[in-house]
């Protein structure tokens, strides 16, 4: 594919993603005309920017991460090569459990040296440009640095077998294997198990401890959200696991020998949980970006809503989305709860919860803790999850 053609595809794709979903088809009709191949390539990127996520399974990447990865790699219409029954080393693929812009996650069965279920993440065929491979390897290295009970462990890694005949998986694409984490997103778990405010805070403390460990290892997660914090019952108690360091950034050392660049103005993360500095595409990201996302997560655990409505952010143009995150001040959690109780505007669809904290339970210290973590000026946020 020529560079000019790729630039044309990226231009149409980026503009399409700024349009409301209902307007995209008409926009692509006008831009692509009778060029069916152009339309197909752009639509493949649009699909990649909306990763599928199965409840209770290991998830990979958010929509914005898929978009960022898609815009750094040549598009492909090549269908998924791996399928149930495919053998990669000692691993037999069982089913797809997650998909992002550059990688697909399978539940797999390991046969040796122990028999167990694992999650195997493999780079997509056709997405193996230098930038994507570098990001993939960065995730693998980031996970390898972690050794914490509340962070999913990396178990193995390698490359798929080389083949010239459409055999098992194609040629030499990197993969890594991590523990298979079961559970529900933290907000869904809190609702299903009718957790009290105190129980929600105890669970949230586990997440803070995990993120603090990552920061001590020099790694920022950059996409903390309910879907990346899975919770299950262990020994009769809620137990959280933080997953998906797919867009992690090293703070103290390079994560891979292959140079990894994040292009200026690329959106890395998920809009609802994105810090102001992250939203503006700044390369100057530090641990306080994760502190902000933790503030959003705590806000949602207490109110059932994110500070800014996800539908509004995703339907807005790029510049407007940045302005909302960087300039608008969300109401305190206790105020949001009061508005919901009175049937007033809540700026979003609340997460269903069996036990709703009252405004009185949240007002005061919890209000201030959340709003300090969400401060637009990162110098006024908490410096660490601790």
């Amino acid at each position: 594919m020529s560079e000019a053609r790729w630039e044309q595809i990226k231009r149409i794709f980026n503009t399409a993603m700024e349009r409301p979903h209902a307007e995209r088809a008409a926009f692509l009709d006008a831009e692509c005309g009778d060029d069916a191949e152009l339309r197909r390539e752009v639509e493949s990127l649009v699909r990649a920017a909306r990763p599928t996520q199965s409840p209770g399974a290991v998830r990979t990447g958010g929509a914005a991460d898929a978009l960022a990865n898609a815009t750094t790699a040549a598009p492909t219409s090549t269908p998924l090569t791996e399928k149930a029954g495919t053998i990669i080393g000692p691993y037999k693929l069982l089913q797809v459990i997650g998909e992002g812009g550059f990688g697909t996650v399978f539940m797999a069965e390991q046969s040796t040296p122990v028999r167990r279920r694992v999650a195997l993440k493999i780079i997509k065929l056709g997405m193996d440009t230098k930038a994507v491979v570098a990001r993939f390897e960065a995730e693998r290295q980031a996970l390898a640095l972690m050794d914490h009970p509340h962070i999913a462990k990396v178990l193995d890694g390698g490359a798929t077998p080389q083949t010239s005949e459409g055999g098992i998986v194609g040629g030499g694409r990197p993969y890594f294997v991590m523990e298979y984490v079961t559970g529900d997103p933290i907000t869904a778990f809190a609702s299903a198990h009718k957790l009290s405010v105190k129980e929600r805070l105890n669970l949230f403390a586990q997440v803070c401890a995990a993120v603090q460990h990552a920061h001590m290892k020099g790694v920022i997660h950059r996409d903390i959200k309910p879907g990346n914090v899975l919770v299950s019952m262990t020994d009769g108690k809620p137990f959280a696991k933080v997953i998906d360091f797919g867009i992690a950034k090293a703070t103290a050392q390079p994560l891979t020998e292959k140079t990894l660049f994040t292009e200026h103005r690329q959106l890395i993360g998920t809009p609802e949980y994105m810090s102001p500095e992250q939203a503006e595409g700044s390369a100057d990201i530090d641990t306080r970006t994760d502190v902000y996302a933790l503030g959003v997560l705590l806000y949602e655990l207490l109110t059932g809503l994110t500070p800014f409505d996800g539908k509004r952010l995703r339907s807005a143009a790029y510049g407007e989305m940045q302005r909302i995150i960087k300039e608008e001040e969300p109401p305190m959690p206790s105020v949001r709860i009061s508005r919901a109780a009175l049937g007033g505007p809540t700026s979003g669809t609340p997460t269903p919860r069996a036990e709703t904290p009252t405004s009185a339970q949240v007002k005061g210290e919890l209000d201030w803790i959340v709003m300090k973590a969400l401060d637009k000026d990162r110098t006024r946020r908490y410096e660490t999850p601790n």
Side-chain angles (χ1 to χ4, degrees):
M1 180 186 300
S2 69
E3 183 175 350
R5 178 70 165 185
W6 175 225
E7 289 301 321
Q8 180 187 23
I9 291 170
K10 287 201 295 183
R11 176 184 61 78
I12 296 173
F13 167 71
N14 286 326
T15 306
M17 294 304 294
E18 293 180 353
R19 299 293 181 92
H21 184 270
E23 298 178 8
R24 285 180 189 161
F27 170 76
L28 293 178
D29 287 340
E31 287 290 322
C32 300
D34 296 329
D35 192 336
E37 181 64 23
L38 176 62
R39 177 70 173 260
R40 188 161 50 248
E41 296 288 9
V42 173
E43 287 182 337
S44 71
L45 289 182
V46 172
R47 287 193 298 273
R50 300 195 309 268
T52 58
Q53 295 187 342
S54 305
V58 177
R59 290 146 173 87
T60 174
D65 185 30
L67 170 60
N69 285 306
T71 57
T72 59
T76 177
S77 299
T78 307
L80 187 67
T81 305
E82 298 80 25
K83 58 185 179 181
T86 296
I87 304 296
I88 301 177
Y91 308 102
K92 179 180 180 180
L93 304 186
L94 302 178
Q95 67 182 74
V96 175
I97 56 175
E99 187 172 358
F102 68 97
T104 302
V105 183
F106 291 86
M107 181 199 302
E109 184 175 66
Q110 181 178 354
S111 57
T112 59
V114 295
R115 183 175 293 275
R116 59 183 170 183
R117 291 286 173 90
V118 297
L120 188 147
K121 186 170 184 177
I122 182 171
I123 202 166
K124 285 184 177 179
L125 183 65
M127 296 294 287
D128 47 348
T129 66
K130 289 183 179 179
V132 176
V133 170
R135 191 172 296 283
F136 190 90
E137 290 188 358
E139 177 177 9
R140 175 178 163 185
Q141 182 62 28
L143 282 169
L145 291 172
M146 309 301 159
D147 183 17
H148 192 276
H150 295 292
I151 296 178
K153 291 182 175 64
V154 65
L155 304 173
D156 192 10
T160 61
Q162 294 280 356
T163 176
S164 59
E165 307 179 353
I168 299 179
V169 291
R173 286 174 294 130
Y175 71 87
F176 71 89
V177 181
M178 56 189 287
E179 66 173 303
Y180 177 60
V181 180
T182 59
D184 295 316
I186 186 170
T187 48
F189 182 94
S191 172
H193 290 79
K194 304 179 182 180
L195 298 188
S196 66
V197 173
K198 183 177 180 179
E199 289 170 330
R200 290 167 193 262
L201 296 178
N202 287 336
L203 190 56
F204 180 72
Q206 296 179 15
V207 183
C208 288
V211 177
Q212 176 70 19
H213 175 80
H215 290 177
M216 291 175 66
K217 294 293 186 178
V219 177
I220 309 168
H221 190 287
R222 295 204 295 176
D223 198 24
I224 297 168
K225 57 186 178 182
N228 283 337
V229 182
L230 302 185
V231 183
S232 60
M233 294 298 291
T234 302
D235 296 329
K237 297 180 180 179
F239 194 86
K241 284 268 189 179
V242 179
I243 65 170
D244 197 0
F245 279 80
I247 54 176
K249 178 182 178 180
T251 59
Q253 58 182 312
L255 289 179
T256 174
E257 293 179 359
K258 293 183 173 63
T259 303
L260 172 61
F261 293 101
T262 299
E263 295 179 3
H264 181 58
R265 293 178 63 84
Q266 273 192 356
L267 283 182
I268 304 294
T270 303
E272 298 95 304
Y273 304 87
M274 196 178 290
S275 68
E277 63 271 20
Q278 207 171 355
E280 69 180 7
S282 173
D284 182 21
I285 299 295
D286 61 30
T287 55
R288 291 168 293 185
T289 281
D290 280 352
V291 169
Y292 182 95
L294 287 169
V296 177
L297 186 61
L298 181 54
Y299 192 109
E300 189 172 5
L301 275 171
L302 295 173
T303 70
L305 295 158
T306 52
F308 301 112
D309 180 23
K311 290 182 179 179
R312 180 188 177 203
L313 289 174
R314 293 170 189 278
S315 63
Y318 178 82
E320 174 63 7
M321 183 183 71
Q322 287 182 311
R323 187 199 66 77
I324 294 170
I325 297 172
K326 291 169 62 179
E327 299 179 9
E328 291 192 9
E329 291 289 347
M332 287 187 173
S334 64
V335 174
R336 181 64 65 86
I337 293 171
S338 295
R339 288 179 183 176
L342 295 172
T346 57
S347 300
T349 303
T351 302
R353 290 169 303 135
E355 181 168 331
T356 304
T358 65
S359 178
Q361 287 176 305
V362 175
K363 189 174 183 179
E365 285 186 331
L366 287 178
D367 267 341
W368 287 110
I369 289 170
V370 170
M371 299 311 289
K372 183 175 176 65
L374 294 178
D375 202 301
K376 305 292 185 187
D377 183 352
R378 58 182 169 180
T379 65
R380 295 198 296 261
R381 293 178 209 151
Y382 295 105
E383 291 187 357
T384 71
N386 272 349

